[in-house]
């Protein structure tokens, strides 16, 4: 027994029933989808709207580039950490922090949850930032925007003040370190100057100049000594006497007692010569004058030995050719005086040369010592100059104030005021639409399955 159905012609009642059934399911599907979307649209229509107020700010001044470590310096200067390489990214985080939102919410008498969280967008390639703040009404959205911008500016001001305090403390610490280094360098330099006896390089130059002056004076004294020696030898040659003999003659000539004895001797000799021609050797007059001559000669020789410091005889006195007249000055005695004067001058110049040689030796030894110590002095001077430069730089930065604080937190200016939105948007609208679409698909699929289950086998479902 087979379950085949006899073919039904299109005009049969079964075909009409199937067509009606198909239209009925189609109507049910349309009604179900219409009901679903009507409910969703009704819910969305009565859902509360959210209004978004938007505004933009712009960075003022030049922001530091990445890789630039502002505030760094050598020789005791500390590096300031935390300098943002991209302030816009930092400001984006600051604007959305809970502290800023809490401050802004307090201005409007709201909680942080009621105030919400702003949307901050950094516009690439520009110095602009775009802010969006939502509210349940147009006015509320705008008030929130102004409150957030004010709280954001207040927070930036607080951060700048904190950075200024930290920077000033670090500068003062760096200044104290630089000051201690400067004081240590100054102490080492002054202590070395005292121990080395060297104040500056000018002292070496002055010492070298003094040495050259002494050398010139010695050369002049040596030339004068040579001239005096030549004159003394020439005068001694003219007198046929040595300079020593000429000096002895001048010494005897200048002594009044010796001259008195010489005159007495010359007078006794002259008288003895005259009376010897008239009387015999034993005559009382001749004996008296002879005794007178001997006494004068003895006194003369004793006085001469006392003056010259050596024994003398009448032959030596005769060679000196001294006259007994102390008042008359002969040309020969003038020459004696010149010889003695030149000899004294030569001796004085010789003593002066010896003294100059002694001074030159001392100064040259001192110059060698100071020249060796000058390298150490130069090194200490360089250390002190470096310490002074670092201290001056630190002091200049400290006196300049916190001008570079804006490098960390540059100022921003609102270039577009918060807008007053005209239309609101429905929050979380997408989940409603997705739910409606899913419900619509499910209902349509269910009706399609029911329709297919009741189609007889071997029949087309359309």
């Amino acid at each position: 027994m087979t379950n085949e159905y006899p073919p039904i012609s299109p005009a049969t009642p079964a075909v009409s029933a199937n067509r009606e059934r198909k239209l009925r399911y189609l109507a049910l599907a349309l009604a179900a989808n219409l009901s679903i979307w009507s409910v969703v649209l009704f819910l969305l229509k009565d859902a509360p709207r959210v209004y978004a107020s938007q505004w933009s700010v712009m960075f003022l001044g030049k922001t530091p580039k990445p890789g630039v470590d502002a505030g760094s310096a050598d020789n005791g200067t500390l590096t300031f950490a935390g300098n943002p390489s991209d302030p816009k990214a930092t400001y984006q985080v600051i604007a959305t922090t809970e502290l800023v939102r809490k401050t802004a919410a307090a201005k409007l008498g709201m909680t942080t949850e009621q105030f919400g969280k702003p949307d901050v967008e950094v516009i690439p390639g520009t110095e602009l930032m775009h802010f969006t703040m939502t509210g349940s009404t147009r006015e509320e959205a705008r008030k929130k925007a102004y409150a957030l911008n004010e709280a954001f500016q207040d927070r930036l001001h607080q951060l700048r003040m904190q950075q200024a305090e930290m920077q000033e403390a670090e500068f003062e610490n760096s200044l104290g370190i630089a000051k201690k280094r400067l004081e240590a360098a100054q102490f080492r330099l002054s202590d070395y100057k005292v121990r080395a006896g060297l104040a500056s390089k000018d002292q070496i130059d002055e010492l070298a100049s003094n040495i050259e002056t002494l050398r010139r004076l010695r050369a002049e004294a040596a030339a004068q000594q040579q001239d005096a020696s030549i004159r003394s030898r020439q005068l001694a040659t003219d007198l046929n006497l040595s300079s020593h003999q000429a000096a002895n003659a001048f010494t005897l000539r200048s002594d009044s007692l010796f001259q008195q004895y010489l005159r007495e001797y010359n007078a006794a000799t002259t008288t003895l010569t005259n009376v010897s021609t008239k009387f015999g050797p034993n005559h009382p007059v001749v004996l008296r004058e002879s005794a007178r001559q001997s006494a004068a000669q003895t006194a003369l020789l004793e006085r001469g030995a006392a003056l010259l410091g050596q024994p003398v005889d009448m032959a030596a006195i005769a060679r000196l050719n001294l006259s007994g007249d102390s008042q008359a000055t002969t040309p020969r005695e003038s020459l004696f005086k010149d010889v003695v004067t030149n000899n004294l001058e030569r001796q004085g110049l010789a003593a002066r040369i010896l003294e100059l040689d002694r001074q030159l030796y001392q100064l040259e030894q001192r110059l060698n010592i100071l020249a060796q110590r000058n390298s150490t002095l130069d090194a200490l001077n360089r250390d002190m100059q470096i310490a002074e430069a670092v201290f001056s730089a630190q002091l200049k930065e400290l006196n300049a104030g916190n001008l570079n604080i804006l490098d960390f937190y540059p100022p921003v200016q609102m270039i577009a005021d918060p807008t007053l939105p005209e239309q609101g948007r429905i929050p979380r609208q997408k989940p409603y639409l997705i739910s409606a679409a899913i419900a619509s698909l499910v209902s349509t699929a269910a009706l399609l399955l029911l329709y297919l289950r009741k189609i007889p086998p071997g029949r087309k479902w359309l």
Side-chain angles (χ1 to χ4, degrees):
M1 184 176 181
T2 62
N3 293 326
E4 293 181 357
Y5 292 93
I8 301 175
S9 62
T12 60
V15 173
S16 298
N18 186 37
R19 183 177 300 172
E20 291 178 0
R21 182 171 172 272
K22 179 172 63 176
L23 292 175
R24 186 169 58 252
Y25 275 92
L26 181 60
L28 288 174
L30 292 175
N33 282 278
L34 183 61
S35 300
I36 293 171
W37 286 103
S38 296
V39 172
V40 170
L41 292 177
F42 177 78
L43 294 175
L44 292 177
K45 179 180 179 182
D46 294 337
R49 297 299 192 266
V50 175
Y51 297 87
S53 179
Q54 299 177 345
W55 74 99
S56 299
V57 298
M58 181 181 68
F59 285 86
L60 301 179
K62 183 182 293 185
T63 57
K65 297 180 180 179
V68 177
D69 190 11
S72 62
D74 297 332
N75 299 317
T77 303
L78 300 179
T79 301
F80 297 107
N83 184 19
S85 59
D86 186 6
K88 293 189 292 295
T90 304
Y91 280 20
Q92 186 178 17
V93 175
I94 294 175
T96 57
T97 58
E98 183 178 359
L99 178 60
V100 174
R101 293 188 295 115
K102 184 176 181 180
T103 304
K107 295 178 180 295
L108 300 178
M110 299 180 177
T111 63
T112 306
E113 292 75 13
Q114 291 174 341
F115 186 81
K117 188 174 183 179
D119 182 23
V120 184
E121 179 185 3
V122 176
I123 302 178
T126 66
E127 299 297 328
L128 300 177
M129 293 180 64
H130 189 68
F131 290 78
T132 302
M133 194 68 213
T134 59
S136 58
T137 63
R138 299 170 55 197
E139 292 75 10
E140 182 182 279
R142 194 173 188 180
K143 289 180 180 179
K144 285 184 177 181
Y146 277 115
L148 179 68
N149 184 75
E150 185 177 352
F152 176 59
Q153 295 288 357
D154 292 343
R155 181 56 180 164
L156 291 181
H157 180 72
Q158 294 175 2
L159 292 174
R160 293 188 189 106
M161 293 301 100
Q162 293 175 3
Q163 180 63 34
E165 294 176 358
M166 181 185 69
Q167 183 172 331
E168 184 176 357
E170 292 179 348
F171 268 135
E172 290 179 352
N173 183 41
S174 301
L175 184 64
I177 295 175
K179 183 179 180 181
K180 290 181 180 179
R181 291 181 178 178
L182 176 59
E183 291 175 349
Q186 290 174 340
F187 175 78
R188 289 194 299 268
L189 179 61
S190 60
D191 180 67
Y192 185 78
K193 285 180 178 180
V194 172
R195 289 187 291 104
L198 180 61
S200 65
K201 189 176 181 181
D202 295 338
Q203 188 175 351
I204 296 179
D205 296 337
E206 183 179 355
L207 185 58
S209 177
N210 292 338
I211 291 175
E212 292 300 323
T213 301
L214 289 179
R215 287 174 179 171
R216 178 177 56 80
L217 293 176
R218 188 192 183 284
E220 294 175 356
Q224 293 173 2
Q225 183 189 30
Q226 185 177 6
D227 292 341
S229 299
I230 293 174
R231 289 196 304 271
S232 296
R233 287 194 298 270
Q234 184 63 42
L235 289 173
T237 301
D238 294 341
L239 292 171
N240 196 20
L241 292 174
S242 66
S243 59
H244 180 67
Q245 291 173 336
N248 289 340
F250 184 78
T251 301
L252 297 177
R253 178 69 179 83
S254 61
D255 186 72
S256 59
L257 184 58
F258 179 84
Q259 292 298 317
Q260 181 182 349
Y261 291 152
L262 182 59
R263 287 192 299 271
E264 184 68 21
Y265 173 78
N266 289 337
T269 301
T270 301
T271 303
L272 180 61
T273 302
N274 291 333
V275 298
S276 294
T277 59
K278 298 178 181 182
F279 305 104
N282 294 322
H283 191 276
V285 175
V286 174
L287 294 175
R288 186 179 69 247
E289 294 299 327
S290 177
R292 177 187 173 193
Q293 182 190 35
S294 297
Q297 181 179 349
T298 300
L300 182 64
L301 294 177
E302 290 178 354
R303 183 60 180 171
L307 291 175
L308 300 179
Q310 62 184 13
V312 296
D313 53 19
M314 296 306 298
I317 293 175
R319 283 197 307 272
L320 295 178
N321 195 13
L322 294 170
S323 66
D325 188 2
S326 60
Q327 300 299 325
T329 303
T330 64
R332 184 177 177 84
E333 291 175 352
S334 297
L335 293 177
F336 287 161
K337 183 178 180 180
D338 292 340
V339 171
V340 174
T341 302
N342 288 330
N343 188 45
L344 293 175
E345 181 181 357
R346 183 177 58 81
Q347 293 176 359
L349 290 172
R352 184 181 181 187
I353 289 173
L354 289 176
E355 178 63 21
L356 290 174
D357 288 338
R358 185 186 65 82
Q359 294 180 8
L360 279 172
Y361 177 78
Q362 292 178 350
L363 293 181
E364 286 173 351
Q365 292 297 318
R366 179 167 175 78
L367 180 62
N368 292 333
I369 295 174
L370 294 183
Q372 295 174 0
R373 295 174 177 175
N374 185 55
S375 58
T376 304
L377 181 66
D378 289 341
L380 292 175
N381 273 321
R382 285 193 299 270
D383 292 343
M384 191 187 71
Q385 290 172 359
I386 293 174
E388 286 179 345
V390 173
F391 180 77
S392 299
Q394 293 295 327
L395 187 61
K396 182 179 180 181
E397 290 183 7
L398 183 62
N399 291 335
N402 302 322
L403 298 180
N404 60 342
I405 296 176
L406 299 181
D407 293 339
F408 295 86
Y409 300 102
V412 292
Q413 182 180 12
M414 183 186 295
I415 61 173
D417 293 338
T419 60
L420 186 63
E422 295 294 336
Q423 296 180 352
R425 61 180 179 83
I426 301 175
R428 296 185 298 275
Q429 182 178 3
K430 192 174 182 180
Y432 286 96
L433 297 178
I434 293 175
S435 300
I438 293 174
S440 178
L441 290 175
V442 170
S443 62
T444 302
L447 291 174
L448 179 61
L449 290 176
L450 290 175
Y451 172 74
L452 293 177
R453 285 183 59 187
K454 295 184 178 182
I455 295 178
R459 298 281 182 92
K460 295 181 179 180
W461 65 281
L462 291 178

